[in-house]
Amino acid sequence: MIEIKNITYTYMKKTPFEKTALENISFAIQEGEFLAVAGHTGSGKSTLIQIIAGLIDLQIGSVEVDGESIKNKFARQKIGMVFQYPEHQLFEETVEKDIAFGPKNFGLSESEISKRVAESMQLVNLNSDLKNVSPFELSGGQRRRVAIAGILALKPKYLILDEPTAGLDPRTKKNLLTEIKKLHNSGVTVIFVSHSMEDIAELASRVVVLSQGNILFDGAPRKLFTQEEILNRAGLEPPAVFEIKKALNLNCDAINLDELTEVILREY
C-alpha cells in the first residue's frame, strides 16, 4: 500500500512567484488497485505523482510504500513511472538494449536481464523479432511500448502512467489501453493519470480528482460522473457515452461503450 499523508508542496517559496501546487493531500492506494488521478491543467496532478515516485523531495507530509518512507531507495524501487511521451526518452541502438538499460544498472546477471527483456516485451505485446531493431525505426505506438517495457523490466510493484495515450491515434490508443488492462490483471497496481474521462471509465475502479491542489472527489468513476458540480469545478466532462444515452433517451448506469452496447443489445 502507498500512503500519502498531509502533503503540501509549494514552488518558488518566498518569491513573488510562489505557488502552492498541493495543499494537505492525504489518501492511500491499495495493493492491486487501478487508481486514476484526474484534473485540469494546473490541478497538481504532475506534482503529486512525482512526489509519490520519489522524484520530488518532500516539503511537508510523508509518503510511505508498504510501510517504508519514500526517502528509502528500496521503497522507491517498488515504483515505476512512465512519463508522458516516454518515447522521447529512448536512446539506445536497439529495442533490447533500451529495455535492458534499467536492469543492467541494477547489476543483474546477463541471464536475468535477458529474461526480463523477453517478459517485458511480451507484457506490452511487442514481437520478439523487434529486439535488434532500432527503436527509432518503430511506429509511435511501438516506441511507447518499448519505453513502458523498459520500466516493467525493473519489476515495479506499483506503476504510474502519466497520460499514456496522449498523442496516439485511436487504434493505437485502444491497443495500448488493452495492454494496460492486461498489466493490471497480471497483478501490477496501476496509478493512471489522465484527463480523458473515456479512458478512466474504461479502466479505473477508483478516481481521485484534483483541483487547485485539493482533492475534490475520491471514489468510483460511476459515482463521479453523476456529480455535475464537481465535474464543472474540476473542468472535466463526463464520457461521451452520457451524451449518447441522452440522445437515445436511455435510463441506465452504463459509463463506457462496452456497457452501453450490452444495454442496447439487451433492450432492443
Side-chain angles (χ1 to χ4, degrees), residues 12-205:
M12 295 182 283
K13 277 186 171 183
K14 298 178 181 178
T15 76
F17 306 102
E18 180 174 305
K19 176 176 172 53
T20 298
L22 297 170
E23 190 171 355
N24 198 31
I25 297 291
S26 296
F27 65 99
I29 302 166
Q30 302 298 324
E31 190 174 326
E33 202 167 22
F34 198 124
L35 173 77
V37 179
H40 208 268
T41 303
S43 63
K45 301 191 306 293
S46 294
T47 302
L48 175 62
I49 60 171
Q50 288 182 69
I51 287 175
I52 292 173
L55 301 176
I56 295 179
D57 289 336
L58 292 160
Q59 291 177 344
I60 298 172
S62 66
V63 175
E64 292 184 358
V65 182
D66 297 334
E68 293 183 282
S69 170
I70 194 63
K71 295 176 183 178
N72 182 314
K73 72 173 183 178
F74 297 108
R76 290 197 300 274
Q77 286 174 2
K78 292 182 179 182
I79 299 177
M81 179 167 169
V82 180
F83 290 92
Q84 190 174 2
Y85 303 112
E87 61 271 25
H88 295 171
Q89 297 169 275
L90 301 176
F91 61 92
E92 287 282 10
E93 300 172 343
T94 67
V95 166
E96 182 177 31
K97 287 182 178 178
D98 226 306
I99 297 171
F101 181 80
K104 191 173 182 180
N105 279 355
F106 273 16
L108 301 178
S109 67
E110 288 299 321
S111 61
E112 178 63 19
I113 291 171
S114 295
K115 180 184 174 186
R116 290 194 180 197
V117 169
E119 288 175 348
S120 299
M121 289 184 72
Q122 188 175 16
L123 278 171
V124 297
N125 200 24
L126 275 172
N127 194 303
S128 59
D129 293 343
L130 297 174
K131 274 200 312 184
N132 297 316
V133 175
S134 166
F136 305 106
E137 294 177 12
L138 303 177
S139 68
Q142 287 175 318
R143 287 199 302 272
R144 191 160 299 184
R145 288 168 189 257
V146 171
I148 293 173
I151 297 298
L152 294 177
L154 298 172
K155 291 194 177 292
K157 185 175 180 181
Y158 304 94
L159 180 64
I160 300 173
L161 298 167
D162 186 8
E163 299 281 4
T165 62
L168 297 180
D169 63 81
R171 184 175 181 179
T172 304
K173 173 180 172 177
K174 183 175 177 59
N175 290 339
L176 183 58
L177 290 177
T178 299
E179 300 312 319
I180 291 170
K181 275 185 186 177
K182 288 180 182 177
L183 280 176
H184 177 247
N185 291 338
S186 74
V188 178
T189 302
V190 177
I191 298 100
F192 181 84
V193 181
S194 181
H195 67 276
S196 168
M197 295 298 101
E198 277 76 16
D199 292 354
I200 289 172
E202 186 172 340
L203 296 170
S205 55

